[in-house]
Amino acid sequence: MSSTNDEPGTGNTEGERPTYASDVALADNADSLDPEHEINVWARDNGLGLVPNVMKTDEAKKYAIVGLGAIMAITAIPLGWHIIDDGKRVLVFDEVSAVQVEMSLADAGELTPEEILQSVLTQMQAQVPGVQHILLELAGMPTIGFRGVKAPNGAAVDQAFMFKPCPVKKGMLAQVRVTAVPERMVQAMNLAEVLTRELKWMGE
């Protein structure tokens, strides 16, 4: 994986230094990636998914490399975050689920990422009339962000969607959905940027 100073990181706006995994790490160790951690045991016992295979851990730089079977890729995850894979999606989250990043594969057909984002916008506007949104680019990916979306528990959250082409499967995209309480959305987007920039496709 290419990164500045051999640490997984991402470029933000031109002129700014990259966001490193250590910038968004929540811990100094890899305990959250232990399959026997109580949160991971609960997820496993409730059929939500399993902790992916940890291929490498660097506690000094606060990241681990994990294999993601659901999207046929590997990536770097900052330490302290939990991650589960149920074979269809990958979910990265903190212990209180105030931040969630979900990754899955989607069949884009002939649609471009920009056209898919327009479809997401149309659907969201139908579900939440007047929802605030912004279009931007994150880690080279067209991205759309929303404010004031209602979570299943009724709380207002921010969300963002982005899509990354999968070069080893024609027409397939990595679909990334970021959900966070408003005060942690910046952190959530930085986490998503690290995860997506460091994606390496199996067989690439």
Side-chain angles (χ1 to χ4, degrees):
M1 295 194 174
S2 61
S3 55
T4 304
N5 296 326
D6 296 323
E7 179 178 352
T10 62
N12 291 322
T13 304
E14 186 176 354
E16 296 181 2
R17 79 161 179 80
T19 298
Y20 299 120
S22 57
D23 293 328
V24 288
L26 300 178
D28 297 325
N29 57 58
D31 289 356
S32 64
L33 301 177
D34 184 344
E36 298 308 314
H37 187 289
E38 61 180 351
I39 290 177
N40 300 331
V41 169
W42 181 88
R44 180 184 67 209
D45 291 349
N46 284 274
L48 300 180
L50 304 174
V51 176
N53 179 47
V54 177
M55 305 166 66
K56 171 186 174 182
T57 300
D58 189 328
E59 292 189 352
K61 295 177 179 175
K62 300 185 179 181
Y63 73 90
I65 303 298
V66 293
L68 310 175
I71 61 173
M72 300 179 296
I74 63 174
T75 195
I77 179 172
L79 298 184
W81 294 91
H82 293 270
I83 181 169
I84 55 174
D85 185 332
D86 68 1
K88 296 181 179 180
R89 65 163 190 166
V90 176
L91 184 66
V92 179
F93 58 100
D94 66 341
E95 63 179 10
V96 295
S97 290
V99 171
Q100 296 184 356
V101 178
E102 178 182 303
M103 296 183 286
S104 59
L105 283 179
D107 188 350
E110 299 299 321
L111 296 178
T112 66
E114 291 83 1
E115 290 171 333
I116 294 175
L117 287 184
Q118 183 58 51
S119 176
V120 170
L121 174 58
T122 299
Q123 293 177 30
M124 185 66 77
Q125 288 175 328
Q127 296 170 9
V128 189
V131 66
Q132 298 179 54
H133 74 278
I134 184 172
L135 292 168
L136 63 154
E137 186 172 284
L138 179 69
M141 295 178 292
T143 301
I144 187 166
F146 297 98
R147 174 159 291 177
V149 178
K150 292 294 183 182
N153 63 4
V157 297
D158 291 346
Q159 280 193 332
F161 295 81
M162 60 198 76
F163 297 86
K164 185 180 182 77
C166 176
V168 298
K169 292 202 72 176
K170 185 178 180 180
M172 299 298 287
L173 299 169
Q175 175 178 276
V176 183
R177 182 177 68 182
V178 182
T179 305
V181 295
E183 60 269 23
R184 293 186 63 190
M185 191 58 176
V186 172
Q187 180 191 42
M189 294 300 286
N190 286 338
L191 170 65
E193 197 175 357
V194 171
L195 294 168
T196 53
R197 176 62 64 83
E198 295 300 323
L199 272 181
K200 299 295 180 184
W201 304 100
M202 297 176 185
E204 189 174 8

